Every structure is written in C-alpha cells, then in structure tokens.
Amino acid sequence: FQDNPTTTGDFEVSYKFGSMSHSSPDVRKHAVEHNLYCVELGRQLGSTALTVWLADGMNHPGQADFRRQFERVADCLHQIHDALPDGWQLFTEHKPYEPAFYSSVNADWGSSLLLAQAAGERAACLVDLGHHLPNTNIEQVVSRLAMVGRLGGFHFNDSKYGDDDLTVGSIRPYQFFLMVIELLKHGDGRMPDVSYMIDASHNLKDPLEDLIQATDQIQFTIAQALLVDLAALEAAQDDNDPALAAEVLQRAYRTDVRPLVAESRSRTGGARSPLTTYRASGYRRAMIDVRGSDWVATGL
C-alpha cells in the first residue's frame, strides 16, 4: 500500500516515505485521522484497544533523520492516545525490519517502550513473538516490560527465520514455556490481565485447524509452566546453583500434562481432543455448502 497514493482534501497522500514519521505534516495528519477512523470502527465492533504497527523506517543510510522520525511518531501516537474513548488502550508493536530494511522507527522493545511512555498512561507494548532478530531472548523482553508496567499483550505465533507467523510452539516450544513462566511471575501465579492474540499465517492449513492447534499449545504450555516450583527455582537462583535451577525447570517441562488439559476441557464442556472433534463434526464441509466454493478460495 505504500506506493499507492490516495487523495484526501486538496493533497495527495503517499506513505512511501513514512506515515506518522513522514516529513509532511499533512501526511502525518492523515495517518492520525486514519487511526482514529479505525478506533471508531473498533468502538462499533466492541473493541477496547488499538494496536499500532508501523512500516515506517529507512531503506538507505541518510534517507531520513533517526531522531526526527522517532519524535514525529511519538507526537502522532500521543495525539491518538488522547483521542481514545474511555476504557481503551493503545499498543505499540515493534519489529526490527520489513518492509524497511536499513532501519525501522519502532525496531525493538526499547523503542516500543519509549513510544508507549511518550503516548500516555493508557499505552503499553505489544510483543509479537516473530518480531525479533534471531536468537533474541524474548522471555527477558517480557520480564523487562512487565517490570515497568508496560506489557500490553501478545501476538502469539512462532518463527524459524523472521516474521514467519508459524503455529504457536511449533519451532521453539521451550522458549514459549520460559515466556509463560515470566507471565506467571508477573501475575503472581496466574496469567496476568493483558491482551492475548494469535497472529499466525495458516497458509497451507485450514485456518480453524491452525487456531485449534495454537490454542491447544497455549493451554498445554500454561499447564507445564504452572508446575514449576517457583519457590524452589528462586532458592536455586539465590544459591547460585544453575544445575538445580535447570532441574526445576526441566521437571515441569518434561511432565506430560496432556491428560490434565484434556480433563480440564471436558469438565468445562470442551472437547478432549479439539482437532479430532472438529474434523469429525463436519463443520468445514457444512460451511462450504452454506457459503459456496468461493469461500474456500479465500482461505477462510
């Protein structure tokens, strides 16, 4: 969309060289108004939050000024924040590259935190698990943002190379386990009240099946993390005993919690085996019959 200008009022708007970071006040104004339009749509749909991920950045050294780009985005986010309806939150979402490859305005959790702080009290940081450079310690990112009270929520997915948007836990399940432990610490033994979303590209899968598998992995991992003896872990850490700390973690991670999760689902009226139940229900075939074959082509 960046290369496709649109006409608004008396001028033409193109986000080719940025939206909220653009050198033109008119383009920045248009970007703010577009986000407020999205807020209005969200209000009608019953939403209570706006996530702002920006494609803004640079593809060439010297193309723009790092500081001025950032300050413009911060100012625009502040305007959006102050126009939010009561009870709404604003989430800043970072990503190190793509589509801008030399630099992105909101490239990492530190930039995201600075933008959230500049926006206002109702702004927090959203962590997409695929929006990090290779080998980033995402559980540490979660800990830092939680520590300063600016952890807003997640886009759950998984990654092999970059923003792959793979099924949750399909590549790095142990890292996901460690992140959930940090969440439980933040929530005093419970999952904290932040926004949890699945942001995955089903691509080759039935999208509902992919969501089922992602949800299954999230429930499974929470159950594993709840088995961690946090007091024993803290004691091992204070005693500078990394071997015992690893033992505490592995004892929980290696426990087969599938029967526990299945029984918990059954007690609340859910399916013990969600994917098997979904396939046996014939739901997909029934929806194709109702909506027509064109519906299948869209991947929905």
Side-chain angles (χ1 to χ4, degrees):
F1 69 94
Q2 288 187 314
D3 295 324
N4 297 324
T6 59
T7 301
T8 177
D10 297 326
F11 67 98
E12 191 175 68
V13 173
S14 171
Y15 289 160
K16 181 176 181 178
F17 293 105
S19 57
M20 294 186 193
S21 70
H22 203 287
S23 58
S24 166
D26 288 335
V27 174
R28 297 199 300 273
K29 181 174 181 289
H30 180 269
V32 170
E33 290 174 348
H34 177 76
N35 275 269
L36 295 179
Y37 172 69
C38 292
V39 169
E40 175 56 25
L41 293 178
R43 188 191 62 76
Q44 295 177 34
L45 293 169
S47 179
T48 57
L50 174 72
T51 298
V52 177
W53 170 79
L54 293 170
D56 294 30
M58 290 182 259
N59 279 317
H60 305 281
Q63 176 182 324
D65 183 85
F66 292 115
R67 181 168 180 171
R68 283 192 291 168
Q69 275 195 328
F70 193 87
E71 289 174 340
R72 291 166 185 155
V73 171
D75 177 66
C76 289
L77 290 175
H78 182 68
Q79 294 178 49
I80 295 168
H81 173 278
D82 286 357
L84 289 175
D86 291 341
W88 272 59
Q89 285 184 290
L90 174 68
F91 298 140
T92 56
E93 182 178 1
H94 60 278
K95 186 177 182 179
Y97 61 89
E98 192 185 34
F101 280 86
Y102 170 64
S103 72
S104 293
V105 173
N106 190 6
D108 51 40
W109 73 270
S111 299
S112 187
L113 175 59
L114 289 173
L115 288 173
Q117 290 172 331
E121 294 182 356
R122 290 189 286 163
C125 303
L126 185 137
V127 179
D128 184 306
L129 303 189
H131 285 196
H132 300 85
L133 293 173
N135 301 317
T136 296
N137 191 329
I138 305 176
E139 55 269 35
Q140 186 179 54
V141 172
V142 173
S143 175
R144 293 288 190 270
L145 293 175
M147 180 179 68
V148 296
R150 292 282 182 164
L151 180 63
F154 292 88
H155 280 174
F156 286 144
N157 50 45
D158 212 334
S159 166
K160 179 69 175 177
Y161 296 106
D163 188 20
D164 305 347
D165 283 343
L166 301 177
T167 311
V168 180
S170 60
I171 304 295
R172 298 183 178 89
Y174 190 63
Q175 183 182 52
F176 187 49
F177 165 73
L178 296 174
M179 281 186 286
V180 173
I181 292 173
E182 293 303 317
L183 287 171
L184 291 173
K185 289 179 182 177
H186 179 48
D188 294 325
R190 294 178 176 270
M191 292 294 281
D193 185 18
V194 299
S195 295
Y196 301 104
M197 293 163 273
I198 296 172
D199 179 14
S201 174
H202 44 80
N203 220 344
L204 301 178
K205 295 180 182 177
D206 174 342
L208 289 179
E209 291 191 351
D210 188 72
L211 287 171
I212 287 169
Q213 290 179 323
T215 304
D216 180 67
Q217 182 64 46
I218 292 168
Q219 293 178 332
F220 181 81
T221 305
I222 292 172
Q224 286 177 310
L226 284 168
L227 292 178
V228 175
D229 187 337
L230 294 178
L233 179 62
E234 184 175 340
Q237 292 166 343
D238 288 344
D239 288 340
N240 298 309
D241 191 340
L244 181 57
E247 194 71 15
V248 172
L249 292 174
Q250 290 296 326
R251 190 179 300 125
Y253 184 69
R254 292 172 179 167
T255 300
D256 185 359
V257 297
R258 288 175 296 179
L260 173 66
V261 173
E263 179 61 25
S264 175
R265 289 174 181 152
S266 179
R267 290 182 180 181
T268 56
R272 299 180 68 91
S273 178
L275 183 60
T276 301
T277 302
Y278 167 74
R279 288 191 168 186
S281 72
Y283 178 83
R284 180 175 175 80
R285 182 70 259 171
M287 289 299 99
I288 292 173
D289 291 341
V290 169
R291 299 175 182 176
S293 58
D294 289 343
W295 178 70
V296 182
T298 66
L300 299 175

